[in-house]
Structure formats: C-alpha cells, structure tokens
Amino acid sequence: MSDSAVRLREGELAPDFTLPDQHGEPFTLSSTRGSKTIVYFYGEAGTPACTKQACDFRDSMAVFEDAGYRVVGISRDEPAANAAFARDEELPQVILSDPTRKVHELYGAYGEKQLYGRTVTGVIRATFVLDEEGRILMPLYNIKATGHVAMLLKKLRLTR
C-alpha cells in the first residue's frame, strides 16, 4: 500500500505521535485523551488558504472549547515558522511541526492529489475528529480550506 492510499476510518484508534509544537515543546496526541480533539493537516503556514483555515478555527475556538474539543493543527513547517504564524495570526490552537511528513503519512495526509486538474504530490488537507478515548469519530479527507470550519461546526451540531 502506498502512503497516499492510507485512509483512516471511523472507529479506528488514531495513531499516536509526538511532534514539536510552535514553542518547540514536545506534544503527544495521547496526552489529549479524556477530551475530544480535532486534528487538522494544512499545507503551509502563512499561505492564503491555510491562514484562512487557521483563523476560522481561531474565530470559533470558544465554540469548540465550550463543547469540550481541543484543536491541533499540523504542517510540514519548522517550529519557528509555526511560531511566527501563530504569533502573527494570534492563533490559540496548538500548531505542530512535521517536516519529515511521518505523521502526515500515518494519517494519509500526504500523497497524490488533484490540483487544478493535474496530479501532484503534496499535503492532502484532512481533518480528524477524535473522541475522548482517541478513536476517530470523523475522518475528513480532501477538504476545502474556506468554509471547512463552518462545515465542521455543522457536522458536529455546534452551530447556533
């Protein structure tokens, strides 16, 4: 099975990992057990679509937190780039660095995808909603950056 063929499914235990956060501190996914978690993969800090998505999470953070969710973003950027991104955009969420793509590949968030009608290899924008035990409630692949958070709020029945 090629890395791009990996697709995690509802009910599976989310693969555990440890990555550095935007402050250079290690963050381990299993440390979120006991609370619901949203893990999202994005292309690159500071790009227009990724900034829009991260800011949409920021702007809805109170709704997610009130419903008991933690939000974690993951990119291939180095911690310094993620630190600048988080600072510049005032992002409250944890932003993790995966420059080797190991976690991206574990989650099927890196591989072949369609971009403007061409097949390219890169980050596959994906979001995973996890329950308190770390099981995947909702695996979402090939999502659009714009409108994604609104769609997620609707799917989770968190819209007012």
Side-chain angles (χ1 to χ4, degrees):
M1 175 185 277
S2 72
D3 292 328
S4 62
V6 170
R7 285 294 183 261
L8 300 179
R9 300 192 191 304
E10 184 179 333
E12 285 184 59
L13 192 61
D16 199 16
F17 59 80
T18 300
L19 291 172
D21 70 11
Q22 67 263 43
H23 309 293
E25 298 295 321
F27 177 94
T28 301
L29 181 63
S30 58
S31 73
T32 66
R33 299 263 168 87
S35 56
K36 297 175 278 189
T37 306
I38 295 168
V39 177
Y40 71 96
F41 290 84
Y42 65 95
E44 185 178 345
T47 57
C50 297
T51 299
K52 173 74 174 134
Q53 183 181 20
C55 290
D56 284 350
F57 273 112
R58 176 200 65 205
D59 296 345
S60 296
M61 193 60 68
V63 177
F64 287 118
E65 288 176 345
D66 287 350
Y69 286 94
R70 295 184 64 179
V71 177
V72 178
I74 303 175
S75 76
R76 295 177 304 140
D77 299 297
E78 294 291 339
N82 283 333
F85 183 46
R87 182 185 61 249
D88 294 348
E89 302 301 334
E90 300 178 7
L91 303 177
Q93 62 264 43
V94 173
I95 304 290
L96 301 178
S97 178
D98 182 28
T100 65
R101 300 190 315 257
K102 285 184 178 156
V103 176
H104 281 73
E105 291 170 2
L106 268 178
Y107 279 74
Y110 190 86
E112 285 189 355
K113 63 181 184 174
Q114 293 297 308
L115 186 66
Y116 305 115
R118 295 181 314 141
T119 300
V120 298
T121 300
V123 174
I124 296 167
R125 198 178 297 273
T127 298
F128 302 88
V129 178
L130 311 180
D131 68 12
E132 295 88 345
E133 296 166 3
R135 294 208 173 275
I136 299 170
L137 295 174
M138 203 179 295
L140 303 166
Y141 287 97
N142 297 310
I143 54 103
K144 303 260 186 265
T146 302
H148 173 60
V149 173
M151 177 271 300
L152 192 57
L153 288 166
K154 187 174 181 180
K155 281 184 176 282
L156 295 172
R157 294 184 173 94
L158 299 177
T159 52
R160 293 185 182 137

